[in-house]
């Protein structure tokens, strides 16, 4: 009896084992037919497929060979215990090559859901796959863990194949029927940490129930879902006026909100979603974010790394650094990055007498003066020596001749000749006009020359007194590099940009580049003349106007201190770099293609330029008001200090000459043995005869 029972159990187990093997083989064949059907549907749209399989489903990669259309195929065979902390170079190379040629279809058939999740995490984090492509995966509940929720907000064109071996009717009866369902994910996700799937189609009896396009577009209409938008207020992308919108205190005014804020307003309407604005904690100081310890970041970068928002507003630069953590749209604008520098006044009023002419003009005038004085001197000596001698020989000595010779005393001595020539240049009349006509003609033309020079000098001096004081500004990188003033900004990437530059001046700036977080402190240092602040032109222009208004209010209230230490703010004319600016999005965001198309249209119709003009309108108006309210260039004592310096210098020189003459009288004249104070005329006649 026992032997018969044992035989029956053995036969039953054999039948069950044979049945399971048969059913397993039949199930694999059924799954293969479904994969073949889906791949055939995909090939109608794409011509390149990447198969990622393991040892169980490796034969499924042969499906493409039976298709009629030529299709490129990449086969990646994973080991059962594949490690992606140090991935194989072959896997990495195939993923890079497939993405480079535009493969955007991925058929991932792996029995182990944990291995599938590790592969997707690795490939998505390293951007080795096109997350906006088409994906076909085997359903596994381990793919929907909370830590993988972010994947299904980036990989949305996905089908999950879920096999059923048995299911129950409502009556509770267990029915064994082979059925395969197709599922996808919701976008945007309906839960914050839980991924919900939705039913798409069923494969039963070797055919699909609905036979529809299973990869439908999910980004064109988001059905009024809420998408989080992280906001960092920065000119010209987002202004402080936009705060009323995300604080829900809007009064529908017409003030400028910022380029990126206006972009989101239009994009949200076109894609039918509701933006949910928020300002991250400490964003005013952390801004785009800096790197901290343990590979952590702050600011917008930290928000992007944690996937807290779908969009990031904040004037993001289109750089490789930002591309590591954000998806950046096409650039909507280009900004000039430059320095806000102190503007110094030239304290050169003491040079008033020489300011009207340039250096070479003064050299020419002095040379002409000396040459003219010497010419007058030699002309007078020649006339006295040759003309008077000739007349003596001819016995034409008359009283008129004596007067003519005596009138040449103005120029017969070289010091007198230079002095009177200088006097004529200053339009001082001669004490006596020489009688010789040759000298008179020469004097006449010298007067014409003197009139022209004097008029030019007076006109230039009038302009020097009437015009505002000239300003010393820094307008090029070379001037900034040579200057002793420190430069800096708040971002370490900007410092590295200068240090690694091939330009020598940029390297010098990078060596003295200081990191400063507080914007108000940086502007104050610029106003004190000890710092140059690095930012975009629009931000600096707005900051300059605010500082000018603040200084004016202080002057009106009488609270300005150390006014002499303040400098006007000047924006350097040379751009360090023209930086493309883009809208920030979540890394590998599926919305990017549609958003790029919308931004391109917005740029083409000129809305970006209009919004930029609106943002800068306030700054332009305030600058015009500052110009109209500026003080006129009146002549004051400060500008006339050159005249006082001239008279003081003359007094000092006269005093020194007087002292010299006194010393000469005491120590030379009085000690001369021939000196007799009672017969000075005899002493000077003897001295003159001795010199001769």
């Amino acid at each position: 009896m026992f032997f018969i029972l044992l035989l029956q159990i053995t036969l039953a187990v054999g039948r069950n084992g044979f049945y399971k093997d048969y059913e397993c083989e039949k199930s694999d064949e059924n799954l293969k037919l479904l994969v073949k059907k889906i791949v055939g549907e995909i090939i109608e749209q794409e011509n390149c497929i990447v198969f990622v399989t393991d040892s169980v489903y490796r034969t499924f990669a042969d499906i493409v060979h039976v298709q009629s259309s030529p299709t490129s195929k990449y086969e990646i065979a994973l080991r059962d215990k594949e490690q992606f902390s140090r991935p194989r170079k072959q896997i990495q190379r195939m993923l890079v090559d497939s993405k480079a040629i535009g493969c955007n279809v991925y058929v991932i058939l792996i029995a182990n859901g944990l291995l599938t999740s590790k592969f997707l995490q690795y490939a998505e984090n390293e951007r080795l796959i096109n997350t906006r492509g088409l994906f076909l995966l085997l359903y596994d509940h381990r793919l929907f863990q909370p830590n993988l929720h972010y994947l299904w907000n980036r990989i949305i064109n996905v089908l999950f194949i879920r096999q059923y071996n048995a299911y129950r009717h409502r009556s509770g009866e267990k029915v064994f029927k082979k059925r395969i369902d197709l599922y996808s994910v919701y976008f945007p996700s309906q839960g914050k940490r839980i991924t919900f799937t939705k039913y798409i189609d069923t494969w039963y009896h070797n055919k699909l129930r609905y036979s529809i396009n299973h990869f439908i577009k999910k980004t064109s209409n988001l059905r009024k879902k809420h998408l989080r938008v992280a906001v960092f207020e920065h000119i010209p992308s987002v202004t402080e006026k936009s705060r009323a919108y995300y604080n829900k205190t809007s009064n529908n005014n017409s003030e400028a909100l910022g380029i990126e804020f206006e972009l989101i307003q239009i994009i949200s309407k076109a894609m039918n979603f509701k933006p949910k604005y928020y300002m991250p904690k400490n964003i005013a100081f952390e801004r785009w974010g800096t790197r901290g310890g343990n590979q952590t970041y702050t600011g917008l970068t930290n928000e992007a790394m944690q996937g807290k928002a779908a969009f990031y507003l904040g004037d993001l630069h289109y750089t490789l650094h930002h591309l590591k953590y954000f998806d950046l749209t096409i650039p909507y604008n280009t900004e000039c990055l430059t320095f806000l520098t102190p503007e110094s006044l030239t304290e050169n009023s003491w040079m008033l007498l020489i300011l009207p002419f340039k250096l070479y003009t003064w050299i020419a005038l002095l040379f002409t003066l000396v040459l003219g004085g010497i010419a007058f001197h030699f002309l007078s000596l020649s006339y006295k020596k040759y003309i008077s001698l000739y007349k003596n020989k001819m016995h034409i000595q008359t009283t008129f001749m004596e007067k003519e010779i005596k009138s040449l005393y103005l120029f017969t001595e070289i010091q007198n000749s230079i002095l009177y020539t200088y006097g004529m240049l200053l339009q001082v009349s001669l004490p006596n006009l020489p009688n010789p006509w040759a000298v008179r003609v020469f004097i006449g033309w010298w007067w014409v020359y003197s009139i022209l020079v004097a008029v030019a000098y007076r006109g230039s001096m009038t302009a020097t007194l009437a015009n505002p004081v000239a300003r010393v500004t820094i307008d090029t990188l070379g001037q900034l590099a040579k200057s002793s003033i420190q430069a800096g900004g708040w971002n370490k990437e900007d410092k590295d940009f200068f240090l690694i530059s091939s330009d020598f001046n940029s390297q010098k700036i990078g060596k003295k580049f200081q990191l400063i977080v507080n914007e108000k402190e940086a502007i104050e240092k610029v106003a004190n003349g000890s710092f140059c602040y690095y930012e975009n032109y629009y931000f600096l222009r707005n900051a300059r106007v605010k500082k000018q208004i603040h200084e004016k209010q202080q002057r009106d209230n009488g609270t300005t201190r150390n006014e002499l230490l303040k400098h006007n703010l000047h924006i350097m004319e040379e751009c360090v770099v023209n930086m493309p600016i883009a809208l920030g999005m979540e890394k590998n965001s599926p919305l990017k293609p549609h958003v790029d198309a919308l931004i391109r249209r917005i740029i083409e119709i000129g809305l970006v330029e209009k919004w930029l003009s609106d943002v800068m309108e306030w700054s332009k108006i305030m600058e015009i008001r500052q110009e109209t309210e500026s003080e006129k260039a009146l002549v004051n004592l400060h500008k006339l200090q050159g005249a006082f310096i001239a008279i003081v210098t003359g007094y000092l020189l006269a005093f020194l000459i007087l002292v010299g003459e006194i010393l000469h009288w005491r120590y030379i004249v009085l000690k001369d043995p021939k000196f007799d104070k009672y017969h000075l005329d005899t002493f000077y006649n003897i001295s003159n005869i001795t010199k001769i």
Side-chain angles (χ1 to χ4, degrees):
M1 185 68 180
F2 176 76
F3 177 76
I4 295 173
L5 181 60
L6 181 62
L7 181 61
Q8 290 177 349
I9 292 174
T10 303
L11 292 174
V13 170
R15 284 196 302 270
N16 289 337
F18 174 77
Y19 177 77
K20 289 181 179 180
D21 291 340
Y22 173 76
E23 290 295 326
C24 183
E25 182 179 352
K26 187 176 180 181
S27 176
D28 288 347
E29 185 64 27
N30 197 31
L31 176 62
K32 197 168 188 177
L33 290 174
L34 173 60
V35 173
K36 179 181 178 181
K37 179 68 175 178
I38 299 299
V39 169
E41 178 183 326
I42 295 173
I43 288 177
E44 295 179 359
Q45 305 175 19
E46 308 293 339
N47 57 2
C48 182
I49 300 179
V50 179
F51 275 90
V52 184
T53 60
D54 58 2
S55 57
V56 178
Y57 296 103
R58 194 155 298 166
T59 58
F60 280 57
D62 297 331
I63 292 175
V64 177
H65 292 302
V66 300
Q67 303 298 330
S68 57
S69 61
T71 304
S72 301
K73 180 179 69 172
Y74 285 84
E75 296 182 22
I76 300 176
L78 301 182
R79 299 167 183 171
D80 293 337
K81 295 183 179 180
E82 192 77 52
Q83 297 295 327
F84 295 102
S85 57
R86 298 183 63 183
R88 286 183 288 155
K89 293 184 179 180
Q90 183 180 5
I91 296 176
Q92 186 177 6
R93 184 175 65 254
M94 294 185 70
L95 289 173
V96 170
D97 293 344
S98 63
K99 187 178 180 181
I101 68 170
C103 274
N104 60 351
V105 178
Y106 300 88
V107 179
I108 304 175
L109 303 176
I110 302 174
N112 186 354
L114 289 177
L115 183 61
T116 304
S117 64
K118 291 179 180 178
F119 170 77
L120 288 175
Q121 284 179 295
Y122 158 72
E124 188 274 336
N125 185 60
E126 299 295 328
R127 295 182 184 260
L128 297 177
I129 58 174
N130 182 7
T131 56
R132 304 178 191 95
L134 309 179
F135 288 78
L136 182 64
L137 289 82
L138 295 178
Y139 185 94
D140 193 310
H141 69 278
R142 290 172 291 186
L143 294 175
F144 306 104
Q145 297 296 323
N147 63 322
L148 299 176
H149 177 72
Y150 75 95
L151 278 177
W152 312 119
N153 273 335
R154 302 175 182 179
I155 302 175
I156 61 174
N157 297 317
V158 57
L159 285 180
F160 295 100
I161 301 175
R162 186 171 187 177
Q163 300 185 74
Y164 295 92
N165 291 329
Y167 61 94
R168 295 179 182 272
H169 283 296
R170 293 182 179 179
S171 61
E173 179 183 358
K174 192 173 184 179
V175 180
F176 290 89
K177 289 185 178 181
K178 301 301 176 184
R179 193 187 73 178
I180 302 177
D181 286 346
L182 298 178
Y183 289 85
S184 186
V185 294
Y186 288 94
F187 181 81
S189 177
Q190 296 181 346
K192 294 183 178 180
R193 301 291 295 172
I194 301 175
T195 303
F196 294 95
T197 59
K198 62 178 180 179
Y199 169 79
I200 299 296
D201 206 344
T202 297
W203 176 263
Y204 188 64
H205 288 313
N206 297 334
K207 64 180 181 179
L208 291 168
R209 175 174 296 178
Y210 298 110
S211 298
I212 58 175
N213 181 14
H214 299 93
F215 295 97
I216 58 175
K217 293 183 179 181
K218 301 179 181 179
T219 60
S220 57
N221 186 358
L222 299 182
R223 303 180 184 278
K224 298 188 180 300
K225 297 291 184 180
H226 287 274
L227 294 183
R228 286 168 62 83
V229 180
V231 178
F232 163 45
E233 295 173 354
H234 193 269
I235 302 294
S237 61
V238 183
T239 66
E240 294 180 359
K241 305 300 180 182
S242 63
R243 194 177 302 177
Y245 281 80
Y246 49 82
N247 288 338
K248 298 181 180 179
T249 58
S250 174
N251 55 359
N252 295 324
N253 55 22
S254 58
E255 295 177 333
L257 306 178
I259 300 175
E260 294 183 4
F261 201 91
E262 297 285 3
L263 281 172
I264 287 294
Q265 294 287 90
I266 292 183
I267 291 172
S268 62
K269 293 179 181 179
M271 300 180 67
N272 195 21
F273 70 87
K274 296 181 179 180
K276 187 177 181 181
Y277 303 100
Y278 77 99
M279 291 183 65
K281 187 178 180 181
N282 296 328
I283 191 64
F285 296 97
E286 295 175 355
R287 302 191 178 191
W288 296 304
T290 56
R291 185 174 180 178
N294 300 324
Q295 300 292 326
T296 59
Y297 278 84
T298 58
L300 285 183
T301 303
N302 180 57
E303 298 291 308
M305 291 181 68
Q306 297 185 18
K308 291 185 177 180
F311 293 91
Y312 301 90
L313 312 185
D315 207 44
L316 288 171
H317 296 172
Y318 205 102
T319 61
L320 292 176
H321 172 74
H322 285 153
L323 284 172
K324 293 180 181 178
Y325 311 104
F326 300 90
D327 254 8
L328 299 177
T329 63
I330 61 171
Y332 65 83
N333 191 24
T334 301
E335 293 178 354
C336 168
L337 299 184
T338 186
F339 285 92
L340 182 68
T341 64
E343 184 181 86
S344 301
L345 299 178
T346 54
E347 298 296 335
N348 57 357
S349 296
W350 60 274
M351 302 171 60
L352 178 64
L353 295 179
I354 64 174
L355 284 177
F357 289 154
K358 298 296 183 180
L359 175 62
Y360 292 110
T361 307
W362 279 117
I363 293 174
L365 286 176
L366 292 176
F367 177 77
T368 307
L369 174 63
V370 174
L371 184 63
I374 295 174
F376 274 113
H377 177 64
F378 279 102
L379 183 62
S380 300
L381 290 180
S382 299
Y383 189 91
K384 183 177 180 180
K385 183 177 181 180
Y386 295 104
I387 301 299
S388 62
L389 181 61
Y390 173 77
K391 290 185 177 181
N392 287 333
K393 290 181 180 180
M394 297 297 294
H395 304 286
I396 314 178
Q397 186 69 21
T398 62
T399 305
F400 176 77
M401 188 65 189
E402 292 177 358
K403 293 181 179 180
E404 189 177 54
I405 295 174
K406 287 182 180 180
S407 64
L408 292 176
Y409 77 94
L410 298 175
F411 305 105
T412 52
E413 294 185 2
I414 187 63
Q415 63 272 18
N416 288 339
S417 179
I418 297 295
L419 182 62
Y420 286 119
T421 304
Y422 173 71
M424 286 188 289
L425 188 61
L426 296 180
Q427 295 186 346
V428 177
S429 61
L430 294 173
N432 185 24
L433 189 63
N435 290 326
W437 278 100
V439 180
R440 287 188 175 191
V441 171
F442 193 38
I443 290 174
W445 286 105
W446 181 259
W447 279 348
V448 173
Y449 165 76
S450 300
I451 291 172
L452 294 176
V453 172
V455 169
Y457 183 83
R458 288 177 179 177
S460 182
M461 179 174 286
T462 303
T464 303
L465 291 171
N467 288 334
V469 180
R471 304 181 185 277
V472 177
T473 59
I474 299 175
D475 287 316
T476 63
L477 284 176
Q479 294 174 354
L480 180 59
K482 294 178 182 178
S483 173
S484 60
I485 302 176
Q486 295 295 321
W490 77 272
N491 196 351
K492 187 177 182 299
E493 282 70 31
D494 294 334
K495 179 180 178 68
D496 296 337
F497 168 78
F498 285 101
L499 289 175
I500 65 176
S501 174
S502 59
D503 180 58
F504 177 72
N505 292 325
S506 297
Q507 292 177 5
K508 289 183 65 176
I509 295 172
K511 291 178 181 178
K512 64 179 182 179
F513 196 94
Q514 298 178 354
L515 298 179
I516 184 168
V517 177
N518 194 324
E519 172 193 323
K520 292 183 179 180
E521 180 184 350
I523 302 299
E524 284 294 333
K525 292 179 69 175
V526 176
N528 290 330
S530 60
F531 196 69
C532 296
Y533 190 53
Y534 184 67
E535 254 290 357
N536 76 69
Y537 170 81
Y538 306 108
F539 178 87
L540 295 179
R541 189 175 180 182
N542 188 73
R544 180 179 63 180
V545 172
K546 286 184 177 179
K547 182 63 178 176
Q548 290 174 347
I549 294 175
H550 180 67
E551 291 292 332
K552 183 178 182 300
Q553 291 175 350
Q554 285 187 330
R555 287 195 299 269
D556 294 341
N557 297 332
T559 58
T560 303
R561 297 179 180 178
N562 299 327
E563 187 175 356
L564 295 177
L565 299 177
K566 298 293 182 180
H567 292 71
N568 293 330
L569 302 182
H570 174 73
I571 300 176
M572 193 171 76
E573 293 182 359
E574 181 181 2
C575 290
V576 177
V577 61
N578 289 306
M579 180 63 68
I581 307 299
L583 193 68
M585 302 181 69
E586 184 183 11
K587 184 180 177 182
N588 291 324
S589 173
L591 301 175
K592 185 179 183 304
H594 200 172
V595 172
D596 283 348
L598 291 173
I599 291 179
R600 190 175 287 109
R601 295 176 187 174
I602 292 172
I603 295 172
E604 289 173 352
I605 62 179
L607 285 178
V608 171
E609 294 183 4
K610 190 264 182 187
W611 294 329
L612 179 60
S613 177
D614 292 344
V615 171
M616 302 308 299
E617 182 180 6
W618 177 81
S619 301
K620 294 178 181 178
I621 293 174
M622 298 309 299
E623 284 180 346
I624 293 173
R625 289 181 180 177
Q626 292 291 330
E627 292 177 358
T628 55
E629 295 175 0
S630 62
E631 296 181 0
K632 296 182 179 180
L634 301 176
V635 178
N636 50 25
L637 289 177
H638 180 72
K639 285 191 175 183
L640 285 178
Q641 63 177 325
F644 293 103
I645 290 176
I647 193 171
V648 170
T649 303
Y651 285 157
L652 289 176
L653 290 176
F655 178 76
L656 292 176
I657 293 172
L658 177 61
V659 171
E661 289 184 351
I662 293 174
L663 294 176
H664 181 270
W665 174 263
R666 286 187 178 182
Y667 296 103
I668 297 177
V669 175
L670 293 180
K671 292 183 178 182
D672 193 333
K674 299 177 182 180
F675 176 78
D676 185 357
K677 65 178 181 179
Y678 299 105
H679 301 281
L680 292 179
D681 53 346
T682 306
F683 171 75
Y684 284 111
N685 288 332
I686 294 172
S687 299
N688 291 333
I689 294 171
T690 304
K691 289 181 181 179
I692 295 172

